[in-house]
């Protein structure tokens, strides 16, 4: 945590709070974090819980920052970036954006090409410390900057780099939107078991623990998901009977269509947000 330097958060909402929480848990002193947010009560909470410093405004927040984390809503980012650009052009801190759908090219245009920018896409489980974040930076952003950005995002879960920015749309369609897909599947399982007579609380508990157990098992294993599935499916057994129904209904094709739709929508939003 020591080589992260001094951090400025522009926006002190939910994602900023999750990151600050994770960084504090990993030993980053609150005194190294400055936060700017229009809401005084939001700032007071972060000061109380983590001992961060509250800035009078965005300019004051970035004054001594080594890293500036942009944690405002995507639609607020352009105005925030253009207002900070003259100052950051002088100090050239690393800029880390967590804003969904804002393309790197737009950030580079707003801040100027000489400010190093890493674009990241975290997901909602980051609020619980078990997120999954995709990161992208063009080749000009050096290893030390990349390592810093990754260390910050690793405070709220797993991190992966993608080589091409277009892959951020697929990251958005997979880990960004993914929690909802799993909720839908769990919802359907819970309802199916309840409809067959299990009390709702029992159906819910077994659904959640099964999802958690399967994810944990897969995470602990070096085997492919296919092998794991085959290992838990006996020929002629109950699991095989259910999987046959899912296969016959075209589950894989449905999932592929769904992910493609999210991927396309992410690209459309990026084009919308990224216009000058
Ligand atoms: N939430 C998620 O699951 C998730 C997942 C992936 C990525 N992200 C990204 O994370 C970013 C933050 O999302 P969030 O969920 O944390 O939103 P949020 O809770 O609304 O936080 C944004 C904060 O920025 C403040 N703000 C507004 N204008 C500002 C300005 N000019 N200068 C400084 N601060 C300003 C807002 O204050 P007011 O409320 O007073 O306007 C709010 O406290 C977004 O870009 C989003 O795309 C979020």
């Amino acid at each position: 945590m020591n080589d992260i330097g001094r951090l400025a958060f522009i926006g002190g909402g939910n994602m900023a709070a999750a990151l600050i929480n994770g960084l504090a848990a990993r030993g980053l002193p609150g005194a190294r974090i400055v936060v700017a947010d229009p809401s005084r009560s939001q700032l007071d909470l972060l000061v109380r819980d983590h001992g961060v410093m509250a800035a009078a405004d965005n300019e004051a927040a970035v004054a001594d920052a080594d890293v500036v984390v942009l944690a405002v809503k995507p639609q607020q980012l352009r105005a925030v970036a253009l207002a900070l650009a003259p100052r950051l052009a002088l100090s050239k801190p690393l800029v880390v954006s967590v804003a969904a759908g804002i393309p790197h090219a737009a950030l580079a245009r707003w801040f100027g090409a000489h400010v190093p920018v890493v674009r990241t896409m975290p997901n909602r489980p980051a609020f619980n410390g078990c997120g999954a974040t995709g990161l992208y930076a063009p080749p000009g952003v050096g290893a030390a900057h990349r390592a810093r950005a990754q260390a910050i995002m690793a405070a709220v879960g797993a991190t992966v780099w993608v080589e091409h920015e277009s892959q951020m749309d697929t990251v958005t369609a997979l880990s960004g939107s993914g929690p909802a897909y799993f909720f839908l599947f769990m919802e359907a399982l819970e309802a199916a078991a309840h409809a067959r007579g299990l009390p709702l609380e029992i159906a819910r508990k077994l659904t959640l623990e099964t999802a958690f157990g399967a994810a944990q098992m897969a995470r602990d294993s070096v085997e492919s998901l296919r092998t794991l599935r085959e290992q838990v499916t006996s020929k002629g057994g109950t699991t095989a009977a259910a999987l046959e129904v899912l296969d016959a209904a075209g589950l894989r094709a449905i999932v592929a269509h769904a992910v493609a739709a999210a991927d396309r929508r992410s690209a459309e939003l990026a084009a919308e947000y990224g216009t000058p």
Side-chain angles (χ1 to χ4, degrees):
M1 281 295 122
N2 276 341
D3 36 14
I4 283 183
R6 284 158 305 185
L7 262 66
F9 279 84
I10 305 301
N14 293 310
M15 190 52 78
L19 285 164
I20 291 167
N21 200 25
L23 290 164
R26 279 159 184 74
L28 188 74
R32 296 243 299 274
I33 301 174
V34 186
V35 186
D37 193 286
S39 157
R40 187 67 233 182
S41 58
Q42 193 79 18
L43 288 176
D44 287 345
L45 275 182
L46 293 169
V47 171
R48 187 198 69 192
D49 292 346
H50 302 295
V52 303
M53 292 181 291
D57 55 34
N58 293 354
E59 284 239 353
V62 303
D64 293 315
D66 299 303
V67 185
V68 175
V69 181
L70 300 171
V72 296
K73 291 279 189 208
Q75 52 277 25
Q76 297 157 337
L77 192 48
R78 182 175 178 275
V80 164
L82 290 175
L84 285 177
R87 175 147 215 144
L88 299 196
L90 299 175
S91 56
K92 297 189 182 55
L94 167 64
V95 171
V96 177
S97 167
V98 301
I102 304 283
H104 191 281
L107 294 161
R109 193 167 61 244
W110 298 334
F111 286 111
H114 298 295
V115 175
V117 176
V118 174
R119 175 185 169 192
T120 74
M121 180 60 201
N123 65 0
R124 176 63 178 74
F127 296 7
N128 300 61
C130 50
T133 299
L135 297 97
Y136 167 78
V141 175
H145 285 322
R146 286 169 186 265
R148 262 183 175 171
Q150 187 166 4
I152 292 167
M153 301 316 293
V156 289
T159 53
V160 294
W161 285 94
V162 296
E163 201 181 332
H164 305 290
E165 187 165 19
S166 61
Q167 294 168 322
M168 286 299 258
D169 294 322
T170 313
V171 167
T172 304
L174 175 57
S175 49
S177 301
Y181 314 155
F182 286 100
F183 290 142
L184 175 65
F185 196 73
M186 289 194 285
E187 207 183 317
L189 277 180
E190 181 192 70
H194 183 46
R196 303 197 66 72
L198 274 190
L200 194 56
E201 325 74 82
I202 293 183
R204 176 184 159 86
K205 185 169 181 167
L206 292 181
T207 298
L208 295 185
E209 293 307 318
T210 306
F212 184 79
Q216 183 75 44
M217 218 177 122
R219 203 153 75 151
D220 289 348
S221 174
V222 292
E223 302 292 358
S224 68
L225 292 171
R226 179 193 175 133
T227 301
L228 289 171
R229 175 176 53 75
E230 285 169 354
Q231 283 172 352
V232 296
T233 311
S234 324
K235 212 165 172 222
T238 57
T239 312
L243 294 186
E244 267 167 35
V245 174
L246 293 175
D247 266 347
L251 180 73
R252 287 167 196 274
I254 293 170
V255 170
H257 281 314
V259 171
D263 193 320
R264 267 196 313 276
R265 185 66 190 131
S266 172
E268 282 166 14
L269 289 172
E272 219 172 274
Y273 288 142
T275 46

